[in-house]
Amino acid sequence: MELKDISQKEVFRYLGYQNNVADKTTQNIAIECTTELLNCCRMNYTYKTFCCAVENGKVIIDNRIIIESKNLSKNLAECNELILFAATLGTQADILIQKYTHLDMSKAVIMQAAAAAIIEQYCDQCQNNIETELQKQTLFLRPRFSPGYGDFDLKHQKDIIALLDCNRKIGLTLTDSLLLAPCKSVTAVMGISNQNRHCNIKGCEVCTKTNCTFRRG
Ligand code: SF4
């Protein structure tokens, strides 16, 4: 990814600016942080398709993993398959953020926000690539849904990491307290549908289809 792929608006959204505009100095620091991260990160992702069954507020993946989540079930309704997905910026991002935590705390805070924006936009890019492949078979993706959203318990990160063999494939692990390592990483589920709902890549929260049956709570 290059600097032009990273929306600085997103970086400032993570910094809590909402619709306010940062001063020029802060904008320049944000660009510096984004550039430094992009130069050092070794981004990677992995994904795999699994069969799924959705019933009574439960999602059963590959006939063996049971996830109790009404929000996820609603989002995956009518899907017989799903994709488990994981992506990471790698340990280099953590090391860089850690370095600035000691050197310059205000820069470390901006670095955190830039890293959050990069991983989200990297996931969007991966999701677009996956969807392009699926469309060749006239299949479409529902929005990605990560453990921790709504009632989708964080503990299911463990299942995703195990089913995708994340440690071996992209160096991603989970601590006993359910923190992803490296920190700037994402795990998610994406439903596969044979109907194109023109889902918003940013998810249901920003989608204008407010009466959609599959909208997550
Ligand atoms: S609300 Fe929008 S993004 Fe969410 S499932 Fe429906 S169409 Fe897709």
Side-chain angles (χ1 to χ4, degrees):
M1 291 183 93
E2 297 172 30
L3 184 61
K4 67 175 172 47
D5 300 320
I6 309 301
S7 155
Q8 289 299 304
K9 206 172 156 203
E10 281 295 287
V11 176
F12 284 99
R13 190 176 66 79
Y14 282 109
L15 282 169
Y17 273 68
Q18 297 177 337
N19 291 326
N20 302 322
V21 179
D23 60 69
K24 199 73 198 152
T25 310
T26 314
Q27 286 181 25
N28 288 338
I29 297 171
I31 289 173
E32 262 172 47
C33 290
T34 310
T35 308
E36 207 169 336
L37 279 162
L38 288 171
N39 287 340
C40 85
C41 289
R42 301 278 174 273
M43 300 171 201
N44 208 349
Y45 76 103
T46 186
Y47 72 95
K48 198 169 166 188
T49 304
F50 293 89
C51 65
C52 69
V54 184
E55 54 195 44
N56 303 326
K58 282 185 195 162
V59 178
I60 303 155
I61 302 176
D62 206 27
N63 296 316
R64 53 190 164 134
I65 305 292
I66 300 175
I67 298 175
E68 296 205 23
S69 164
K70 289 195 172 66
N71 299 144
L72 182 63
S73 307
K74 192 176 174 193
N75 197 233
L76 295 180
E78 299 177 10
C79 295
N80 302 316
E81 285 186 311
L82 53 72
I83 280 173
L84 295 185
F85 169 86
T88 182
L89 296 189
T91 49
Q92 299 82 0
D94 288 358
I95 293 167
L96 193 63
I97 293 168
Q98 197 58 35
K99 183 180 112 181
Y100 279 103
T101 304
H102 297 298
L103 287 179
D104 181 345
M105 197 55 206
S106 58
K107 196 162 176 181
V109 170
I110 298 176
M111 195 68 87
Q112 281 278 7
I118 293 172
I119 186 70
E120 281 305 312
Q121 287 169 70
Y122 179 59
C123 290
D124 289 350
Q125 200 178 71
C126 298
Q127 195 172 326
N128 276 329
N129 293 342
I130 296 169
E131 184 147 65
T132 303
E133 281 307 305
L134 286 176
Q135 281 173 357
K136 292 176 189 164
Q137 306 158 59
T138 331
L139 294 171
F140 306 92
L141 280 181
R142 294 270 167 80
R144 64 175 185 274
F145 204 132
S146 290
Y149 283 178
D151 61 356
F152 184 8
D153 200 304
L154 264 183
K155 70 181 180 191
H156 292 296
Q157 292 187 118
K158 202 170 175 180
D159 300 321
I160 298 176
I161 283 179
L163 285 168
L164 289 177
D165 194 9
C166 282
N167 190 8
R168 194 176 62 80
K169 291 207 177 124
I170 58 168
L172 175 61
T173 57
L174 195 66
T175 67
D176 291 342
S177 45
L178 302 180
L179 294 174
L180 292 169
C183 290
K184 295 301 174 196
S185 304
V186 164
T187 61
V189 173
M190 305 169 195
I192 298 178
S193 171
N194 55 14
Q195 289 180 47
N196 190 1
R197 303 276 168 189
H198 302 284
C199 287
N200 191 313
I201 188 96
K202 299 281 176 209
C204 303
E205 291 75 10
V206 295
C207 183
T208 50
K209 296 168 196 122
T210 47
N211 60 355
C212 170
T213 322
F214 309 108
R215 192 177 184 89
R216 60 191 180 207

